[in-house]
Amino acid sequence: MEEQKKHYLHHLSPGFDRSAVLEDLMSVYGNDVWHFAYVLTRRRDAADDIAQDVFIAAFNRMYGFRGEASVKSWLLAITRNKSLNYLRSSFVRKVVPWDIFTLRGKSQEAAVSAEQAAMDKAASRNLWDQVLSLPVKHREVLILAYHYELSVEEIAEALGLSSGTVKSRLFRARQKMSELLEAREGRDIHA
């Protein structure tokens, strides 16, 4: 399905119904865009605004899409840029307090004990807390690689970086995560 979507924007003719294409993009990629904006900003209200801005930008640039990357990579690149612009704004740096990230996952098993569900949620929250404590440049490559399952080349395209830089950031991000998780385990054992 992604391969089909990759090319249809590239071949839009001026008379094509862009609204229908936009609606399709929003239904297919809306959650990915919102979640990536949320991971980068850690604010639900900002993610709402950024997701809207991303799809407005996509609508306006639809005929300019060159098809050099997947549609998903293209939208996530726009999301990243909008999120970073949001984070750079002086209002955010000076006024807005950061929310606590909570992961609301759906359990695959219907009969999970309440105790196990609570433990899984706590472990998941701890892992995401560690991810969110990383600098943005490391956090974003981890999210794009593991959550969105983008290749190194797709991440490089989305972030406007070389593949070598992406590989380096992924290596460093994994290294930092290992250090953070080991330090946390050490604190938990001594507690």
Side-chain angles (χ1 to χ4, degrees), residues 105-112 120:
K106 294 181 182 173
S107 175
Q108 297 293 336
E109 300 176 23
V112 175
D120 290 347

Side-chain angles (χ1 to χ4, degrees), residues 41-53:
T41 64
R42 300 186 214 178
R43 296 191 51 84
R44 291 181 187 283
D45 58 334
D48 291 341
D49 292 342
I50 290 167
Q52 280 185 326
D53 289 348

Side-chain angles (χ1 to χ4, degrees), residues 135-152:
V136 171
K137 69 182 186 178
H138 294 130
R139 184 169 62 223
E140 68 188 0
V141 293
L142 279 178
I143 298 298
L144 291 172
Y146 293 105
H147 182 73
Y148 293 106
E149 299 177 346
L150 296 183
S151 68
V152 168

